[in-house]
Amino acid sequence: MKVTEHIKNANGKTLFSFEILPPLKGQNIQSIFDGIDPLMEFNPPFIDVTYHREEYEYKELPNGLLQKKIVKKRPGTVGICAAIQNKYQVDAIPHILCGGFTKEDTENFLIDLDFLGIDNVVALRGDAVKSEIYFKPEKEGHRYASELVEQIANLNKSVYLDEDLKNTTATDFCIGVAGYPEKHMEAPSMDSDIHFLKQKIKNGADYIITQMFFDNQKFFDFVSKCRAEGITVPIIPGLKPIATKKQLNLIPHRFKVDLPDCLIMEVVKAKDDEGVKQIGIEWSIEQSKQLIAAGTPVLHYYSMGKAENIKRIASAVF
């Protein structure tokens, strides 16, 4: 079932969903199930599965030259989605990236998903690989998420890359895209960021999931700006509880997300990471309650495969 249909069928009730990481290469899928099982009591209608593009590593050869090697550290997104739908009978939503894919790769990926009965995808540009400062698209790939959305929407209209194909079948994907309540780190302004988000909706996106935030007012302001620009699709907030002191520096640096001063000081005063974890849970509970009271359609938690914190939050609000 499509995400938009889940929201419509909920009749105003706020739904619970979460996002997981594929396991590291060499690990089995049981680690995924261990992170999902404790959260199934909250009846998630869908579970997101991230996709991690290849990374580059360099090996020095005997002649002194460097050999570039492509390494995929977290493979298995498609297989995990199929396993989740088979085991739990809930919709699994794979992320699709511009980075690391040609247009033909993307089309073949979407065909496989369609064959598996997967109804939803999240279209993302993706980040630059660690060895590069700025994002670089594949030679025959997409530079922007809006272009990726357009390709998926075209496939929904039975428009394939090969124009000579006959009797083609249309797919029927519900397309999610990312939104940034504090703007994307590369966007020069919030207005420009909303402009490009609007382009993704125009190209065929059906709903928005936001990056994490810790100040609900920033989310409410973001929603208001989207609505003022004519964006009417559902906007789903993404939430992540702080769990370690290290994240006070990591989150603002990596995601360009601000942390409220009062949250920072609470974490700074905590004796250990167990105390930080409790602070993060309590903060996220209050965020969640306020978002539910505001009529938010879904609360989407970035669990990253660790269920304990999310279960404690969900137990308090759902």
Side-chain angles (χ1 to χ4, degrees):
M1 185 184 293
K2 295 181 179 183
V3 168
T4 49
E5 293 173 335
H6 282 299
I7 292 172
K8 182 179 179 181
N9 293 343
N11 294 317
K13 178 184 176 182
T14 300
L15 301 173
F16 165 84
S17 71
F18 59 97
E19 181 172 303
I20 61 171
L21 293 169
L24 289 168
K25 192 171 186 176
Q27 298 179 358
N28 64 32
I29 200 169
Q30 188 56 48
S31 62
I32 292 293
F33 296 153
D34 291 344
I36 293 175
D37 288 342
L39 302 178
M40 290 308 296
E41 67 177 276
F42 306 107
N43 300 313
F46 55 88
I47 299 169
D48 276 36
V49 183
T50 65
Y51 189 96
H52 288 254
R53 65 176 295 185
E54 296 88 353
E55 296 181 10
Y56 301 138
E57 291 184 355
Y58 292 88
K59 178 182 179 181
E60 186 173 357
L61 301 176
N63 60 8
L65 296 177
L66 292 177
Q67 181 184 52
K68 185 177 179 180
K69 181 182 179 183
I70 296 176
V71 179
K72 183 176 279 190
K73 294 186 176 181
R74 292 184 182 272
T77 294
V78 176
I80 291 166
C81 286
I84 288 173
Q85 294 203 159
N86 180 64
K87 180 177 175 64
Y88 298 103
Q89 303 300 305
V90 302
D91 286 300
I93 306 180
H95 291 187
I96 303 180
L97 307 181
C98 295
F101 286 94
T102 66
K103 294 174 185 177
E104 186 172 0
D105 290 336
T106 296
E107 182 171 276
N108 291 335
F109 188 52
L110 290 164
I111 289 170
D112 285 345
L113 297 178
D114 188 49
F115 287 165
L116 289 169
I118 290 173
D119 296 326
N120 306 275
V121 295
V122 174
L124 305 166
R125 190 200 69 175
D127 298 324
V129 296
K130 292 180 180 178
S131 59
E132 299 172 349
I133 298 175
Y134 299 107
F135 172 82
K136 293 182 180 178
E138 293 298 305
K139 185 176 181 181
E140 300 296 331
H142 295 298
R143 184 175 181 83
Y144 303 108
S146 58
E147 297 172 350
L148 175 57
V149 169
E150 185 175 23
Q151 182 179 4
I152 302 168
N154 281 341
L155 212 61
N156 283 348
K157 301 171 187 174
S158 196
V159 177
Y160 288 72
L161 295 175
D162 185 349
E163 297 177 356
D164 293 330
L165 292 177
K166 305 296 182 183
N167 301 316
T168 54
T169 301
T171 57
D172 191 24
F173 292 112
C174 180
I175 307 168
V177 293
Y180 299 86
E182 298 174 62
K183 88 175 184 58
H184 190 275
M185 65 180 73
E186 296 176 18
S189 70
M190 177 59 80
D191 287 343
S192 70
D193 205 24
I194 297 291
H195 169 79
F196 288 110
L197 177 58
K198 189 174 181 179
Q199 185 63 50
K200 289 188 280 189
I201 305 303
K202 182 180 178 181
N203 285 6
D206 299 291
Y207 68 98
I208 298 164
I209 292 183
T210 78
Q211 181 174 251
M212 73 181 79
F213 57 91
F214 297 88
D215 180 348
N216 281 355
Q217 191 57 51
K218 292 187 177 181
F219 172 75
F220 295 139
D221 290 345
F222 171 72
V223 172
S224 295
K225 289 178 180 178
C226 287
R227 301 308 185 215
E229 288 298 316
I231 297 174
T232 60
V233 301
I235 301 176
I236 299 171
L239 301 171
K240 178 178 174 63
I242 281 186
T244 66
K245 286 192 176 184
K246 184 179 179 181
Q247 290 176 330
L248 286 184
N249 302 111
L250 180 65
I251 289 174
H253 174 71
R254 181 173 295 178
F255 301 100
K256 300 297 184 288
V257 170
D258 290 333
L259 299 173
D261 289 340
C262 54
L263 174 59
I264 293 171
M265 293 312 301
E266 283 190 55
V267 172
V268 167
K269 293 176 183 177
K271 293 182 179 180
D272 52 31
D273 278 348
E274 192 57 40
V276 175
K277 185 185 295 184
Q278 183 59 36
I279 291 167
I281 289 170
E282 291 174 359
W283 187 274
S284 192
I285 286 172
E286 290 308 309
Q287 272 194 279
S288 300
K289 288 181 177 179
Q290 187 178 29
L291 290 164
I292 290 173
T296 306
V298 184
L299 297 187
H300 186 73
Y301 295 91
Y302 295 112
S303 76
M304 308 323 230
K306 298 178 181 178
E308 179 191 353
N309 290 13
I310 308 304
K311 181 173 181 177
R312 289 168 65 181
I313 295 165
S315 296
V317 298
F318 285 97

